[in-house]
Amino acid sequence: MSFYRFSQRLVRTLWSIVGPIEVEGIDRIPREDPFILIANHQSALDPILIQAICPRPIHTMAKSTQFSSPLVAQIMYRLNSFPVRRYRIDPQAVRHALRVLDSDEPVGIYIEGERTWDGRLQRPRLGTVRLILKAGVPVIPCTIDGAYDVWPRWDRGLRKGPIRITFGEPMVFPRLDDREAREEALPEAARSLMARLAEQVGEGGERGPGVGG
Amino acid sequence: MPGREPLTLTAAEWVDMLPGIEIEERIRRAEEGGLPIRRDRAVVRTLVREEPVSFRGIYLNQIERLGPAREGVLELFPERIAFVQNAKGTGKRGRPMPGTAGERADHSGAISWEFEEITAVQPSSRTLQINSKNHPLASIVIPDGSIRFWEELLCAALQYFYRAKGLGEIVDFQPRITTR
């Protein structure tokens, strides 16, 4: 059994102590083809729980600071995480994501770029939307709800509570190799992605046009 | 408060009840008093190098390696943000800030980020990261304060500065500051 599969089982077993996880739409995960899983980010628990639940091993983009400790970095690599430097434009993170998709494996990205401070959805990172339009693979909108109440960003301890993970119907965006065409399609793609996440997580309101990166 | 019904709201609802940053008023008060807009004890680490990382023979990316933590004071001014390091051996938590009785500043360890040079501002876990043209990436911890508050304050001050200088409206603060 791989470290990834072992970790999935371990998290599922241990999490049953903390609280129930309700999962919806797991059958919407493509069984073989590549896809980009786009998720909201409520808590540091999100990648742990989503990767524990999702049947396909996901290659998740994670901030580079998480790889500073050699031990944590080794765990991150074995959980298919790859670093992105958020303090600058980072084309290598995009190149690696596209390479993973080319090898028919899924990539996971937290489209808001960071955990929410107040539980609400934030604006999307437009760099992620550009990657989606460049890749042209199906997008699985995934929402996690309740993780903020269990472990918000500003708190140090976990609370018990229910969590709901929803894998939405796949969204299809055309592959746009032309940069101008991508830029033109960007606002509407960002809007529709965030509208879908908002709908799944039961949150209304506009998210704004998005932010760079 | 005793005798009052407890009020239960979501975090978002509490946040909506907070007063705004009101940067103009803060700047006016600071300029009148000849003081920084905000001053807090801080611990700063700066980028030493970026290091390539690979796994099972596949190059993934580069990650940052930060230098040693330096304790001192972070000060926000209308056109810059500055860090003044404590003199060696005087940086323990709970001591007074440099410039106050009992604490010395070490200006050789000072960093001043002029607003025009700052290229990115973002929170990262419990740190505030500042990238700039003339200084390496800085990762800042505010032991006695809120990174979220400092981020909002710095972004508001930058936005005010850009407007006042006719540099445009900032629409992104990371991965790089961009305007429209």
Side-chain angles (χ1 to χ4, degrees):
Chain A
M1 188 194 297
S2 70
F3 182 77
Y4 192 105
R5 292 296 185 197
F6 169 76
S7 303
Q8 281 185 312
R9 286 192 184 183
L10 185 69
V11 170
R12 286 183 205 166
T13 307
L14 292 178
W15 195 261
S16 57
I17 301 164
V18 179
I21 302 182
E22 189 184 336
V23 181
E24 188 190 331
I26 206 154
D27 53 326
R28 294 171 183 145
I29 304 287
R31 291 188 179 186
E32 290 176 353
D33 296 329
F35 63 89
I36 299 177
L37 184 140
I38 290 296
N40 63 327
H41 207 353
Q42 293 198 338
S43 162
L45 298 167
D46 303 344
I48 299 166
L49 296 178
I50 291 173
Q51 284 185 272
I53 296 298
C54 183
R56 292 273 302 278
I58 310 170
H59 295 254
T60 306
M61 194 182 273
K63 65 183 173 196
S64 49
T65 46
Q66 290 187 309
F67 296 80
S68 358
S69 147
L71 177 65
V72 175
Q74 285 304 316
I75 294 170
M76 298 285 283
Y77 299 143
R78 282 166 174 76
L79 294 175
N80 293 351
S81 294
F82 60 98
V84 58
R85 288 164 291 176
R86 299 188 310 170
Y87 54 88
R88 46 164 288 182
I89 304 280
D90 191 356
Q92 175 56 26
V94 175
R95 270 197 292 272
H96 184 76
L98 291 171
R99 196 182 298 147
V100 168
L101 294 168
D102 278 346
S103 60
D104 292 340
E105 292 185 55
V107 166
I109 303 177
Y110 293 86
I111 192 167
E112 301 155 283
E114 60 170 313
R115 286 169 286 160
T116 175
W117 288 98
D118 61 12
R120 284 183 282 215
L121 272 178
Q122 306 163 90
R123 292 193 296 164
R125 309 299 313 173
L126 292 182
T128 301
V129 187
R130 285 190 185 98
L131 168 62
I132 288 168
L133 294 172
K134 195 171 170 63
V137 299
V139 172
I140 303 294
C142 171
T143 46
I144 186 158
D145 197 12
Y148 180 79
D149 295 321
V150 171
W151 194 13
R153 179 175 185 163
W154 40 264
D155 205 354
R156 288 182 189 271
L158 284 176
R159 299 178 191 86
K160 289 190 177 187
I163 287 177
R164 181 186 175 88
I165 296 174
T166 306
F167 299 98
E169 289 287 351
M171 299 174 78
V172 179
F173 296 93
R175 176 178 170 151
L176 299 171
D177 289 323
D178 178 61
R179 189 177 179 157
E180 273 186 31
R182 265 203 310 276
E183 290 304 309
E184 199 176 313
L186 200 62
E188 176 53 26
R191 191 207 59 74
S192 61
L193 277 162
M194 296 314 289
R196 178 67 79 80
L197 293 181
E199 183 188 321
Q200 280 182 206
V201 83
E203 194 181 299
E206 283 291 312
R207 224 63 45 200
V211 286
Chain B
M1 287 179 68
R4 284 203 186 171
E5 282 292 309
L7 184 60
T8 305
L9 300 171
T10 65
E13 288 166 338
W14 284 115
V15 167
D16 288 341
M17 292 169 73
L18 291 173
I21 288 287
E22 290 167 356
I23 192 68
E24 281 183 53
E25 177 59 19
R26 284 177 188 269
I27 288 173
R28 189 188 60 74
R29 281 204 308 262
E31 284 176 341
E32 275 177 10
L35 296 166
I37 299 168
R38 178 82 188 184
R39 191 168 198 255
D40 266 315
R41 182 178 301 278
V43 179
V44 172
R45 297 175 74 193
T46 52
L47 180 80
V48 175
R49 64 181 185 279
E50 288 185 323
E51 204 173 85
V53 289
S54 305
F55 184 61
R56 292 184 178 145
I58 296 170
Y59 170 60
L60 299 176
N61 206 339
Q62 301 211 11
I63 59 166
E64 63 272 26
R65 290 290 178 212
L66 301 174
R70 294 187 286 157
E71 292 191 39
V73 167
L74 192 65
E75 294 178 323
L76 179 67
F77 297 95
E79 299 195 350
R80 69 190 170 95
I81 179 168
F83 171 74
V84 181
Q85 188 177 345
N86 292 356
K88 277 185 183 166
T90 60
K92 303 292 179 212
R93 257 186 98 167
R95 298 246 182 126
M97 294 188 206
T100 63
E103 188 76 63
R104 287 180 297 118
D106 173 8
H107 291 279
S108 64
I111 310 172
S112 178
W113 296 272
E114 303 299 322
F115 280 178
E116 277 166 328
E117 296 165 1
I118 293 178
T119 57
V121 176
Q122 59 150 341
S124 179
S125 296
R126 296 184 197 283
T127 71
L128 178 69
Q129 290 187 335
I130 298 175
N131 208 8
S132 81
K133 291 173 191 164
N134 296 338
H135 297 287
L137 172 77
S139 185
I140 303 166
V141 174
I142 310 287
D144 311 318
S146 157
I147 281 304
R148 174 64 171 157
F149 176 68
W150 262 92
E151 182 209 359
E152 283 209 2
L153 199 58
L154 175 56
C155 289
L158 277 163
Q159 186 71 270
Y160 185 82
F161 173 83
Y162 268 63
R163 282 181 193 147
K165 297 278 178 189
L167 299 172
E169 183 82 10
I170 299 177
V171 287
D172 303 335
F173 286 93
Q174 60 143 316
R176 69 176 172 200
I177 290 180
T178 51
T179 57
R180 66 172 168 227

Coordinates of all heavy atoms in Angstrom, one line a residue, chain B residues 35-64:
Chain B
L35 N 4.5 60.6 14.5 CA 4.7 59.2 14.9 C 4.4 58.3 13.8 O 3.8 58.7 12.8 CB 3.7 58.9 16.1 CG 3.9 59.6 17.4 CD1 2.7 59.5 18.3 CD2 5.2 59.1 18.1
P36 N 4.8 57.0 13.9 CA 4.4 56.1 12.8 C 2.9 55.8 12.9 O 2.2 56.1 14.0 CB 5.1 54.8 13.2 CG 5.9 55.0 14.4 CD 5.6 56.4 14.9
I37 N 2.3 55.3 11.8 CA 0.9 55.0 11.8 C 0.6 53.8 12.8 O -0.4 53.8 13.5 CB 0.4 54.6 10.4 CG1 0.6 55.7 9.4 CG2 -1.0 54.1 10.4 CD1 0.5 55.3 8.0
R38 N 1.6 52.9 12.8 CA 1.4 51.8 13.7 C 2.8 51.3 14.1 O 3.7 51.3 13.2 CB 0.6 50.7 13.0 CG 0.5 49.4 13.8 CD -0.7 49.5 14.8 NE -0.7 48.3 15.6 CZ -1.7 48.1 16.5 NH1 -2.7 48.9 16.7 NH2 -1.6 47.0 17.3
R39 N 3.0 50.7 15.2 CA 4.3 50.3 15.7 C 4.0 49.0 16.6 O 3.2 49.1 17.5 CB 4.9 51.4 16.6 CG 6.3 51.2 17.0 CD 6.8 52.6 17.5 NE 8.2 52.6 17.5 CZ 9.0 52.5 18.6 NH1 8.4 52.3 19.8 NH2 10.3 52.6 18.6
D40 N 4.7 48.0 16.2 CA 4.6 46.7 17.0 C 5.9 46.0 17.1 O 6.7 46.1 16.2 CB 3.5 45.8 16.3 CG 2.1 46.0 16.9 OD1 2.0 46.1 18.1 OD2 1.2 46.1 16.1
R41 N 6.0 45.2 18.1 CA 7.1 44.3 18.2 C 7.0 43.3 17.1 O 5.9 42.8 16.8 CB 7.1 43.6 19.6 CG 8.2 42.6 19.9 CD 7.9 42.1 21.3 NE 7.9 43.1 22.3 CZ 9.0 43.7 22.8 NH1 10.2 43.2 22.4 NH2 8.9 44.6 23.7
A42 N 8.1 42.9 16.5 CA 8.1 42.0 15.3 C 9.3 41.1 15.3 O 10.4 41.4 15.9 CB 8.0 42.8 14.0
V43 N 9.1 40.0 14.6 CA 10.3 39.1 14.4 C 10.3 38.9 12.9 O 9.3 38.5 12.3 CB 10.0 37.7 15.1 CG1 11.2 36.8 14.8 CG2 9.9 37.9 16.6
V44 N 11.5 39.2 12.3 CA 11.6 39.2 10.8 C 12.7 38.2 10.4 O 13.7 38.1 11.0 CB 12.0 40.6 10.3 CG1 12.4 40.6 8.9 CG2 10.9 41.6 10.6
R45 N 12.3 37.4 9.4 CA 13.3 36.5 8.7 C 13.3 36.9 7.2 O 12.2 37.2 6.7 CB 12.9 35.1 8.9 CG 12.9 34.6 10.4 CD 12.4 33.2 10.5 NE 13.4 32.3 10.0 CZ 13.2 31.0 9.7 NH1 11.9 30.5 9.9 NH2 14.1 30.2 9.3
T46 N 14.5 36.9 6.6 CA 14.5 37.3 5.2 C 15.1 36.1 4.4 O 15.8 35.3 4.9 CB 15.4 38.5 5.0 OG1 16.6 38.3 5.6 CG2 14.7 39.8 5.6
L47 N 14.7 36.2 3.1 CA 15.1 35.1 2.2 C 16.6 35.1 2.1 O 17.2 36.1 1.8 CB 14.5 35.4 0.8 CG 14.8 34.4 -0.3 CD1 13.9 33.1 -0.1 CD2 14.5 35.0 -1.6
V48 N 17.2 33.9 2.2 CA 18.6 33.7 2.0 C 18.9 33.2 0.6 O 19.8 33.7 -0.1 CB 19.2 32.8 3.1 CG1 20.7 32.5 2.8 CG2 19.0 33.3 4.5
R49 N 18.1 32.2 0.2 CA 18.2 31.7 -1.1 C 16.9 30.9 -1.5 O 16.2 30.6 -0.6 CB 19.4 30.7 -1.2 CG 19.3 29.5 -0.4 CD 20.5 28.6 -0.4 NE 20.3 27.4 0.4 CZ 20.4 27.3 1.7 NH1 20.7 28.4 2.4 NH2 20.1 26.2 2.3
E50 N 16.8 30.7 -2.8 CA 15.7 29.8 -3.2 C 16.4 28.5 -3.6 O 17.5 28.5 -4.3 CB 14.9 30.4 -4.4 CG 14.0 31.5 -3.9 CD 13.2 32.1 -5.0 OE1 13.6 32.2 -6.2 OE2 12.0 32.4 -4.8
E51 N 15.8 27.4 -3.3 CA 16.5 26.1 -3.5 C 15.6 25.2 -4.3 O 14.4 25.0 -4.0 CB 16.6 25.5 -2.0 CG 17.6 24.5 -1.8 CD 17.7 24.1 -0.3 OE1 17.0 23.2 0.1 OE2 18.5 24.8 0.4
P52 N 16.2 24.5 -5.3 CA 15.3 23.6 -6.1 C 15.0 22.4 -5.3 O 15.8 21.9 -4.6 CB 16.3 23.3 -7.3 CG 17.6 23.6 -6.9 CD 17.5 24.6 -5.8
V53 N 13.7 21.9 -5.6 CA 13.3 20.7 -4.9 C 12.8 19.7 -5.9 O 12.1 20.0 -6.9 CB 12.3 20.9 -3.8 CG1 12.8 21.6 -2.6 CG2 11.1 21.7 -4.3
S54 N 13.1 18.4 -5.7 CA 12.7 17.3 -6.6 C 12.2 16.2 -5.8 O 12.5 16.1 -4.6 CB 13.9 16.8 -7.4 OG 14.5 17.9 -8.1
F55 N 11.4 15.4 -6.4 CA 10.9 14.2 -5.8 C 10.9 13.0 -6.8 O 10.3 13.2 -7.9 CB 9.5 14.4 -5.2 CG 9.0 13.2 -4.4 CD1 9.7 12.7 -3.3 CD2 7.9 12.5 -4.8 CE1 9.3 11.6 -2.5 CE2 7.4 11.4 -4.0 CZ 8.1 11.0 -2.9
R56 N 11.5 11.9 -6.4 CA 11.7 10.8 -7.3 C 12.1 11.2 -8.7 O 11.6 10.8 -9.7 CB 10.3 10.0 -7.4 CG 10.0 9.3 -6.1 CD 8.8 8.5 -6.1 NE 8.6 7.9 -4.8 CZ 7.4 7.6 -4.2 NH1 6.3 8.0 -4.8 NH2 7.4 7.1 -3.0
G57 N 13.1 12.0 -8.7 CA 13.8 12.4 -10.0 C 13.0 13.5 -10.8 O 13.5 13.9 -11.8
I58 N 11.9 14.0 -10.3 CA 11.1 15.0 -11.0 C 11.3 16.3 -10.3 O 11.1 16.5 -9.1 CB 9.6 14.6 -11.1 CG1 9.5 13.3 -11.9 CG2 8.8 15.8 -11.7 CD1 8.1 12.8 -11.8
Y59 N 11.8 17.3 -11.1 CA 11.9 18.6 -10.5 C 10.5 19.3 -10.3 O 9.7 19.3 -11.2 CB 12.7 19.5 -11.5 CG 12.8 21.0 -11.2 CD1 13.3 21.4 -10.0 CD2 12.2 21.9 -12.1 CE1 13.3 22.8 -9.7 CE2 12.3 23.3 -11.8 CZ 12.8 23.7 -10.6 OH 12.8 25.0 -10.3
L60 N 10.3 19.7 -9.1 CA 9.0 20.2 -8.7 C 9.0 21.8 -8.8 O 8.2 22.4 -9.5 CB 8.6 19.8 -7.3 CG 8.5 18.3 -7.1 CD1 8.1 18.1 -5.6 CD2 7.4 17.7 -7.9
N61 N 9.9 22.4 -8.1 CA 9.9 23.9 -8.1 C 11.1 24.3 -7.2 O 12.0 23.5 -6.9 CB 8.6 24.4 -7.5 CG 8.3 25.8 -8.0 OD1 9.1 26.5 -8.4 ND2 7.0 26.2 -7.9
Q62 N 11.1 25.6 -6.9 CA 12.1 26.1 -5.9 C 11.3 26.5 -4.6 O 10.1 26.9 -4.7 CB 12.8 27.3 -6.5 CG 13.5 27.0 -7.8 CD 14.7 27.8 -8.0 OE1 15.2 28.5 -7.1 NE2 15.3 27.7 -9.1
I63 N 12.0 26.4 -3.5 CA 11.3 26.8 -2.3 C 12.3 27.8 -1.6 O 13.5 27.8 -1.8 CB 11.0 25.7 -1.3 CG1 12.2 24.9 -0.9 CG2 9.9 24.8 -1.9 CD1 12.0 24.0 0.3
E64 N 11.7 28.7 -0.8 CA 12.6 29.7 -0.1 C 13.2 29.1 1.2 O 12.6 28.4 1.9 CB 11.7 30.9 0.2 CG 10.6 30.8 1.1 CD 9.3 30.4 0.4 OE1 9.4 29.7 -0.6 OE2 8.2 30.6 1.0

